[in-house]
Amino acid sequence: MLENNSMGEKLLAIKDVCAIVCISRSSVYDFINIRSPRHRPDFPRPVRMSLVGRGAVRWRRSEVEAWLAMLPRG
């Protein structure tokens, strides 16, 4: 887990997102892929850590937790 010093926002690697949400890595990528039949437009978008190429991505912890909180319980 990283911390973005400018805002104090915690940034999560995919393994952390998977652990918090209890889904697989491929499910996370399906949720954010608009071409996937499993696409979830409400799932938090990743933050690209590199300006060039296909660098690392992270998710804002606050957005992941907010998404979990809005899911129906039952």
Side-chain angles (χ1 to χ4, degrees):
M1 190 175 347
L2 297 175
E3 185 171 324
N4 181 345
N5 293 330
S6 64
M7 295 179 65
E9 177 77 45
K10 300 259 187 226
L11 299 176
L12 305 171
I14 187 147
K15 67 178 183 166
D16 301 317
V17 174
C18 293
I20 291 170
V21 181
C22 298
I23 59 175
S24 69
R25 180 184 183 98
S26 60
S27 291
V28 170
Y29 285 117
D30 278 344
F31 285 4
I32 65 173
N33 181 357
I34 61 172
R35 294 186 182 116
S36 171
R38 296 179 62 209
H39 175 64
R40 301 276 310 250
D42 58 336
F43 194 77
R45 304 300 301 170
V47 176
R48 191 160 298 283
M49 302 301 290
S50 171
L51 297 175
V52 180
R54 299 175 52 99
V57 294
R58 298 289 185 267
W59 282 259
R60 290 179 182 91
R61 183 181 190 103
S62 61
E63 291 179 4
V64 172
E65 290 173 346
W67 182 81
L68 272 176
M70 66 134 228
L71 292 177
R73 307 274 170 167

